[in-house]
Amino acid sequence: KQEVTQIPAALSVPEGENLVLNCSFTDSAIYNLQWFRQDPGKGLTSLLLIQSSQREQTSGRLNASLDKSSGRSTLYIAASQPGDSATYLCAVRPRGYNTDKLIFGTGTRLQVFP
Amino acid sequence: DADVTQTPRNRITKTGKRIMLECSQTKGHDRMYWYRQDPGLGLQLIYYSFDVKDINKGEISDGYSVSRQAQAKFSLSLESAIPNQTALYFCATSGPYQPQHFGDGTRLSIL
Protein backbone atom coordinates (compact mmCIF):
# COMPACT_ATOMS: atom_id res chain seq x y z
CA LYS A 1 0.00 0.00 0.00
CA GLN A 2 1.35 3.38 -1.03
CA GLU A 3 2.09 5.73 1.84
CA VAL A 4 3.28 9.32 1.59
CA THR A 5 5.17 11.02 4.40
CA GLN A 6 6.19 14.64 4.75
CA ILE A 7 8.90 15.88 7.08
CA PRO A 8 8.98 18.19 8.92
CA ALA A 9 5.35 18.62 9.95
CA ALA A 10 6.00 22.29 10.69
CA LEU A 11 8.75 24.74 9.89
CA SER A 12 9.35 28.36 10.92
CA VAL A 13 12.06 30.39 9.19
CA PRO A 14 13.07 34.04 8.83
CA GLU A 15 12.38 35.83 5.60
CA GLY A 16 15.05 35.41 2.93
CA GLU A 17 16.10 31.87 3.79
CA ASN A 18 16.27 29.13 1.19
CA LEU A 19 14.45 26.05 2.42
CA VAL A 20 13.69 22.47 1.49
CA LEU A 21 10.53 20.50 2.16
CA ASN A 22 10.69 16.73 1.97
CA CYS A 23 8.25 14.13 0.71
CA SER A 24 8.81 10.39 0.68
CA PHE A 25 6.66 7.58 -0.73
CA THR A 26 6.88 3.84 -0.22
CA ASP A 27 6.13 2.52 -3.72
CA SER A 28 8.09 3.81 -6.70
CA ALA A 29 5.39 2.74 -9.18
CA ILE A 30 3.90 6.17 -9.77
CA TYR A 31 2.71 8.15 -12.78
CA ASN A 32 3.56 11.51 -11.29
CA LEU A 33 4.01 13.52 -8.12
CA GLN A 34 2.38 16.84 -7.41
CA TRP A 35 3.10 19.61 -4.92
CA PHE A 36 0.22 21.75 -3.62
CA ARG A 37 -0.10 24.79 -1.44
CA GLN A 38 -3.03 25.19 0.98
CA ASP A 39 -3.84 28.51 2.61
CA PRO A 40 -6.07 28.62 5.72
CA GLY A 41 -9.73 28.43 4.76
CA LYS A 42 -8.86 27.77 1.14
CA GLY A 43 -8.54 24.84 -1.17
CA LEU A 44 -5.39 23.42 -2.65
CA THR A 45 -3.44 25.21 -5.34
CA SER A 46 -1.29 23.09 -7.63
CA LEU A 47 2.31 24.33 -7.65
CA LEU A 48 4.27 21.79 -9.64
CA LEU A 49 3.64 18.41 -11.25
CA ILE A 50 6.54 16.09 -12.05
CA GLN A 51 5.97 13.16 -14.36
CA SER A 52 7.66 9.89 -13.42
CA SER A 53 10.11 10.27 -16.32
CA GLN A 54 11.21 13.72 -15.15
CA ARG A 55 13.79 14.69 -12.53
CA GLU A 56 12.66 18.19 -11.70
CA GLN A 57 10.29 21.03 -12.44
CA THR A 58 10.74 24.75 -11.80
CA SER A 59 8.32 27.61 -11.41
CA GLY A 60 9.68 30.95 -10.31
CA ARG A 61 11.32 30.55 -6.90
CA LEU A 62 10.10 26.96 -6.60
CA ASN A 63 11.98 23.88 -7.71
CA ALA A 64 10.73 20.36 -7.20
CA SER A 65 12.87 17.28 -7.70
CA LEU A 66 11.92 13.64 -7.97
CA ASP A 67 14.04 10.57 -7.28
CA LYS A 68 11.62 7.77 -8.01
CA SER A 69 14.01 4.94 -7.22
CA SER A 70 14.56 6.16 -3.67
CA GLY A 71 10.95 7.28 -3.23
CA ARG A 72 11.75 10.92 -2.53
CA SER A 73 10.83 14.37 -3.69
CA THR A 74 11.94 17.76 -2.43
CA LEU A 75 10.41 21.18 -2.85
CA TYR A 76 13.02 23.92 -2.77
CA ILE A 77 11.85 27.47 -2.06
CA ALA A 78 14.41 30.17 -2.76
CA ALA A 79 14.52 33.47 -0.89
CA SER A 80 11.44 32.75 1.21
CA GLN A 81 8.88 35.50 1.84
CA PRO A 82 6.10 35.91 4.42
CA GLY A 83 3.62 35.33 1.61
CA ASP A 84 4.99 31.80 1.27
CA SER A 85 3.46 30.93 4.66
CA ALA A 86 1.02 28.08 4.05
CA THR A 87 0.74 24.32 4.29
CA TYR A 88 2.51 22.43 1.52
CA LEU A 89 1.20 19.03 0.48
CA CYS A 90 2.69 16.46 -1.83
CA ALA A 91 0.64 13.77 -3.56
CA VAL A 92 1.52 10.82 -5.78
CA ARG A 93 -0.55 9.23 -8.49
CA PRO A 94 0.15 5.51 -8.21
CA ARG A 95 0.30 3.17 -11.16
CA GLY A 96 -2.08 0.25 -11.37
CA TYR A 97 -5.30 2.14 -10.87
CA ASN A 98 -7.81 3.08 -13.53
CA THR A 99 -8.15 6.51 -12.06
CA ASP A 100 -6.47 9.81 -11.37
CA LYS A 101 -6.36 8.77 -7.73
CA LEU A 102 -3.95 10.82 -5.65
CA ILE A 103 -2.44 9.75 -2.35
CA PHE A 104 -1.59 12.71 -0.17
CA GLY A 105 0.93 13.32 2.55
CA THR A 106 -0.18 15.13 5.69
CA GLY A 107 1.67 18.31 4.78
CA THR A 108 4.33 20.66 6.09
CA ARG A 109 3.06 23.85 7.71
CA LEU A 110 5.45 26.65 6.83
CA GLN A 111 5.69 29.99 8.54
CA VAL A 112 8.02 32.67 7.19
CA PHE A 113 8.41 35.60 9.56
CA PRO A 114 9.68 39.08 8.65
CA ASP B 1 -15.30 33.78 -10.61
CA ALA B 2 -13.72 30.66 -9.16
CA ASP B 3 -13.08 27.72 -11.48
CA VAL B 4 -14.44 25.27 -8.90
CA THR B 5 -17.26 26.47 -6.64
CA GLN B 6 -18.46 24.62 -3.57
CA THR B 7 -21.62 25.33 -1.63
CA PRO B 8 -22.18 25.76 1.21
CA ARG B 9 -18.83 26.92 2.59
CA ASN B 10 -19.81 26.07 6.14
CA ARG B 11 -22.53 23.87 7.56
CA ILE B 12 -23.48 22.80 11.06
CA THR B 13 -26.08 20.10 11.40
CA LYS B 14 -27.32 17.34 13.67
CA THR B 15 -26.74 13.62 13.69
CA GLY B 16 -29.14 11.76 11.42
CA LYS B 17 -29.82 14.62 9.04
CA ARG B 18 -29.41 14.30 5.28
CA ILE B 19 -26.91 16.74 3.83
CA MET B 20 -25.94 17.61 0.29
CA LEU B 21 -22.74 19.37 -0.69
CA GLU B 22 -22.62 20.82 -4.16
CA CYS B 23 -19.79 21.44 -6.57
CA SER B 24 -19.72 23.12 -9.95
CA GLN B 25 -16.83 23.81 -12.27
CA THR B 26 -16.25 26.06 -15.24
CA LYS B 27 -13.06 24.45 -16.54
CA GLY B 28 -14.83 22.08 -18.91
CA HIS B 29 -13.13 19.03 -17.39
CA ASP B 30 -14.70 15.59 -17.48
CA ARG B 31 -13.13 14.34 -14.26
CA MET B 32 -14.44 15.35 -10.84
CA TYR B 33 -13.57 14.22 -7.33
CA TRP B 34 -14.71 14.49 -3.74
CA TYR B 35 -12.17 14.37 -0.89
CA ARG B 36 -12.35 14.81 2.83
CA GLN B 37 -9.56 16.28 4.93
CA ASP B 38 -9.08 15.45 8.59
CA PRO B 39 -6.36 16.90 10.80
CA GLY B 40 -3.27 14.70 10.67
CA LEU B 41 -4.68 12.41 7.98
CA GLY B 42 -4.24 14.35 4.78
CA LEU B 43 -6.86 14.15 2.05
CA GLN B 44 -8.75 10.94 1.33
CA LEU B 45 -10.72 10.23 -1.82
CA ILE B 46 -14.45 9.59 -1.31
CA TYR B 47 -15.79 9.30 -4.87
CA TYR B 48 -14.65 10.19 -8.36
CA SER B 49 -16.30 10.50 -11.72
CA PHE B 50 -14.75 10.35 -15.18
CA ASP B 51 -17.92 11.54 -16.89
CA VAL B 52 -21.64 11.78 -16.31
CA LYS B 53 -22.13 8.02 -16.66
CA ASP B 54 -18.99 6.88 -14.88
CA ILE B 55 -18.93 7.11 -11.07
CA ASN B 56 -16.57 5.19 -8.83
CA LYS B 57 -15.96 4.67 -5.15
CA GLY B 58 -12.80 5.97 -3.58
CA GLU B 59 -11.04 4.91 -0.40
CA ILE B 60 -13.72 5.95 2.09
CA SER B 61 -17.10 5.87 0.33
CA ASP B 62 -19.13 4.23 3.13
CA GLY B 63 -21.81 6.60 4.39
CA TYR B 64 -21.63 8.81 1.29
CA SER B 65 -23.29 8.92 -2.11
CA VAL B 66 -22.79 11.14 -5.15
CA SER B 67 -24.65 12.40 -8.17
CA ARG B 68 -23.15 13.71 -11.40
CA GLN B 69 -25.98 15.87 -12.68
CA ALA B 70 -24.03 17.29 -15.60
CA GLN B 71 -20.45 17.56 -16.77
CA ALA B 72 -20.04 20.64 -14.62
CA LYS B 73 -21.87 19.49 -11.48
CA PHE B 74 -21.00 16.81 -8.94
CA SER B 75 -22.79 16.64 -5.59
CA LEU B 76 -21.96 14.67 -2.46
CA SER B 77 -24.65 13.45 -0.06
CA LEU B 78 -24.53 12.19 3.50
CA GLU B 79 -27.76 10.23 3.84
CA SER B 80 -27.70 10.11 7.64
CA ALA B 81 -24.91 12.23 9.04
CA ILE B 82 -22.83 11.03 11.99
CA PRO B 83 -20.32 13.00 14.10
CA ASN B 84 -17.23 11.28 12.69
CA GLN B 85 -18.11 12.74 9.29
CA THR B 86 -17.18 16.13 10.67
CA ALA B 87 -14.39 17.27 8.35
CA LEU B 88 -13.34 19.63 5.59
CA TYR B 89 -14.67 18.47 2.21
CA PHE B 90 -13.07 19.35 -1.10
CA CYS B 91 -14.25 19.01 -4.67
CA ALA B 92 -11.68 18.88 -7.47
CA THR B 93 -11.64 18.60 -11.23
CA SER B 94 -9.04 17.72 -13.84
CA GLY B 95 -8.36 16.73 -17.38
CA PRO B 96 -6.68 13.36 -18.07
CA TYR B 97 -3.24 13.16 -16.44
CA GLN B 98 -3.46 16.86 -15.60
CA PRO B 99 -3.16 18.64 -12.23
CA GLN B 100 -6.30 18.63 -10.16
CA HIS B 101 -7.96 21.98 -9.43
CA PHE B 102 -9.65 22.31 -6.07
CA GLY B 103 -12.52 24.31 -4.68
CA ASP B 104 -12.21 26.26 -1.44
CA GLY B 105 -13.83 23.53 0.60
CA THR B 106 -16.89 23.00 2.78
CA ARG B 107 -16.39 22.88 6.53
CA LEU B 108 -18.97 20.44 7.87
CA SER B 109 -19.71 19.98 11.57
CA ILE B 110 -22.10 17.30 12.77
CA LEU B 111 -23.31 17.57 16.32
Side-chain angles (χ1 to χ4, degrees):
Chain A
K1 179 184 175 185
Q2 178 73 269
E3 293 182 358
V4 181
T5 304
Q6 291 186 247
I7 295 173
L11 184 61
S12 183
V13 300
E15 182 177 8
E17 276 204 5
N18 301 323
L19 52 97
V20 175
L21 307 182
N22 296 295
C23 173
S24 61
F25 46 98
T26 55
D27 189 341
S28 62
I30 63 171
Y31 282 115
N32 57 51
L33 182 145
Q34 198 166 348
W35 281 94
F36 294 88
R37 168 185 174 138
Q38 184 176 21
D39 292 284
K42 293 289 188 179
L44 280 67
T45 300
S46 180
L47 297 174
L48 292 163
L49 182 148
I50 310 176
Q51 302 292 350
S52 62
S53 58
Q54 297 176 320
R55 287 292 187 132
E56 64 179 325
Q57 283 285 332
T58 298
S59 176
R61 294 182 294 108
L62 305 180
N63 176 278
S65 67
L66 174 64
D67 184 342
K68 199 173 58 168
S69 61
S70 67
R72 294 181 182 179
S73 176
T74 61
L75 179 67
Y76 175 82
I77 303 176
S80 59
Q81 303 170 357
D84 294 330
S85 298
T87 296
Y88 290 81
L89 298 159
C90 70
V92 299
R93 181 172 176 240
R95 290 188 179 273
Y97 294 90
N98 181 27
T99 175
D100 286 334
K101 174 176 181 166
L102 294 178
I103 297 177
F104 284 83
T106 53
T108 294
R109 190 171 64 253
L110 173 66
Q111 181 182 13
V112 181
F113 54 89
Chain B
D1 287 342
D3 294 329
V4 183
T5 302
Q6 292 185 235
T7 56
R9 291 296 317 278
N10 293 281
R11 177 79 183 270
I12 300 173
T13 192
K14 295 181 179 180
T15 297
K17 294 291 188 181
R18 184 179 188 274
I19 302 160
M20 179 180 286
L21 309 183
E22 298 185 334
C23 176
S24 62
Q25 52 107 351
T26 58
K27 296 192 72 69
H29 290 156
D30 287 329
R31 303 179 180 206
M32 298 188 73
Y33 314 81
W34 275 104
Y35 293 90
R36 69 178 273 175
Q37 185 178 35
D38 297 275
L41 290 181
L43 277 77
Q44 296 174 280
L45 182 63
I46 307 172
Y47 270 94
Y48 61 98
S49 170
F50 280 177
D51 64 38
V52 175
K53 296 181 180 180
D54 184 0
I55 294 177
N56 304 278
K57 292 181 178 180
E59 303 166 274
I60 54 165
S61 58
D62 288 347
Y64 301 94
S65 62
V66 291
S67 174
R68 185 81 183 265
Q69 299 94 328
Q71 186 203 36
K73 295 183 181 295
F74 192 36
S75 61
L76 175 73
S77 293
L78 289 68
E79 296 301 326
S80 180
I82 56 177
N84 73 4
Q85 291 177 312
T86 293
L88 190 54
Y89 289 84
F90 287 105
C91 174
T93 181
S94 75
Y97 301 95
Q98 296 300 308
Q100 294 186 13
H101 298 267
F102 285 75
D104 285 343
T106 294
R107 188 169 296 279
L108 179 62
S109 296
I110 300 166
L111 306 178

